Amino acid sequence: MSKIKRFFSKKKEEAAFKLRIGGGMGEGHKLNAPKQEAPSTSSRRKMDVYVPPKRHELSNEARAAANAALSRIDRKDSRDFNTSLAAIKAQAKRELEAERRQKEELANSTSASSVPSGSNAAAAENKNLACQGVFFRCPLIGEDVLSKKAWKAKIKEFLYQQLESERGLTACLIIQNCNVKEKADDCIATLIKYLENIIKNPDEEKFCKIRMSNKIFSEKVRYVDGALDVLYAAGFSEVQIDEEPFLLWTNEQTEEGLDLAMLVEALKNSEPIQLELDRNIKVLLPSQARRVVLPDDFYRISPEEIKREQQLRAEAIESSQILKTKAMRDREEQRNLRMYRYSLIRVKFPNGLYIQGTFNVYEKIADVFEFVQSCLADESLEFNLVATSEGKFNEEDMEKTLYDCKLIPNVLLLFTVPTIPTPVAVDVNFLKEELLMLVQEM
């Protein structure tokens, strides 16, 4: 089965699954029926400890991180960085000690908070970026990890390559993926109307031809990527009638293996090809974890608007002495949160190492736990994460989003294991050994 047909087949299965779920929600119960006994307290799982399910295989994130590390190793110069566990632990300890010695000095340093100007500012900002951007995968097309802009170009190239073999179905996806949403929606609605008119009235001449200079056709169909290919696959062809261009439909010219009803269904079920957010896993030493500058991809707004927001913040610092009501503070906080699409999550382990991953702001706390779990050498280990603002997460927090918990745009979580005392945990490596290859020299 081709990738295009697999896409529509998957949509069909999802629709059928939703129907089955809707029709089989199980038996209800009467309001006056006796209540079922709740499970005993002893059988409940502790609410303050996240108990992950047992897993045996590497997760996609961990496997991708290991592959990326191997690629970097192939490209790096002859001066190899020692990624042995002992060397990494020693380096982390040295940096933690240095960090403690310099803590007071850094807190009082004015140079750390100064912002360079001009080209030096851009260079410094790029050097201090916590990550180089937000990256995605597209399982339908391949295993590449690219930016959203790069994927849009690659998806368009992929779809146009499929036109020759499956013109009708591919053209439906081109409309959705190569045009802005409003234009795509108007175009699809118009095409469905054209095709349904022919299905209902196949012998009506007025429905079998479209004047190409028609205002609706010109505005909503003619100049939309993929639209004419849908009509050609449906059986339309360009002709001249009274020296004016028309599209004329004949059943004989319909694409082989395709009929109008199938094409209408494809138009209704087509949607943008979904990208999967790549965690972009990094393993950091304490000195590397100081970099907290986020790239522009994390914002919902343009770089110019970001600079304007930064100026407003600078002005807000000057007027920080002004008394604000709680409502004013809440509005300002919500406005700041809405600026971001993604959040950078860092998890600090007792031995001083950090793991870093990128998340959508509407992903859940459970997704963060799953990410951390996939990086552990023992994935069945019971652990918890502690946020300075929220404290320790419990079972009720698992369905909350990062936005709900205000873990935006970047946050540091502390990794804890209830069964291992802190002095002992300092000497324990919790991460998979293949992830240690992600630790790089600064």
Side-chain angles (χ1 to χ4, degrees), residues 57-69 137 281 374 434-435:
E57 297 182 357
L58 287 178
S59 68
N60 290 335
E61 288 90 349
R63 187 178 292 108
N67 290 337
R137 286 191 178 84
I281 299 178
S374 71
E434 58 264 33
L435 288 182

Side-chain angles (χ1 to χ4, degrees), residues 240-252:
Q240 291 285 328
I241 300 177
D242 297 331
E243 299 183 354
E244 190 173 357
F246 277 79
L247 288 174
L248 183 65
W249 178 81
T250 56
N251 190 43
E252 293 75 17

Side-chain angles (χ1 to χ4, degrees), residues 243-358:
E243 299 183 354
E244 190 173 357
F246 277 79
L247 288 174
L248 183 65
W249 178 81
T250 56
N251 190 43
E252 293 75 17
Q253 295 189 38
T254 303
E255 182 182 338
E256 185 179 352
L258 191 69
D259 59 42
L260 297 187
M262 289 174 58
L263 202 49
V264 168
E265 184 182 2
L267 285 167
K268 291 179 178 179
N269 291 325
S270 63
E271 60 183 38
I273 293 173
Q274 296 300 312
L275 300 178
E276 294 181 0
L277 180 63
D278 181 70
R279 293 292 181 226
N280 194 17
I281 299 178
K282 294 184 182 299
V283 181
L284 308 173
L285 293 166
S287 58
Q288 295 169 311
R290 297 193 190 110
R291 302 173 183 176
V292 293
V293 180
L294 297 175
D296 295 343
D297 293 352
F298 273 69
Y299 295 83
R300 296 182 186 276
I301 56 181
S302 66
E304 292 74 20
E305 291 172 314
I306 294 172
K307 291 178 182 178
R308 190 157 57 248
E309 285 287 340
Q310 290 172 340
Q311 290 176 353
L312 291 174
R313 286 182 186 179
E315 294 171 3
I317 292 174
E318 295 178 4
S319 61
S320 60
Q321 301 301 320
I322 300 175
L323 186 62
K324 294 181 181 179
T325 65
K326 184 178 184 302
M328 291 169 64
R329 291 195 300 271
D330 289 344
R331 281 197 300 271
E332 184 176 348
E333 183 179 37
Q334 289 300 318
R335 181 170 62 85
N336 290 337
L337 291 178
R338 285 194 294 268
M339 286 172 54
Y340 301 94
R341 282 196 178 96
Y342 305 100
S343 181
L344 190 76
I345 303 295
R346 283 177 173 172
V347 179
K348 183 178 181 180
F349 288 84
N351 63 0
L353 292 180
Y354 296 72
I355 57 172
Q356 173 180 294
T358 303

Side-chain angles (χ1 to χ4, degrees), residues 359-371:
F359 291 77
N360 188 289
V361 295
Y362 298 114
E363 289 193 74
K364 298 177 180 178
I365 299 298
D367 296 318
V368 179
F369 272 81
E370 185 177 351
F371 162 69

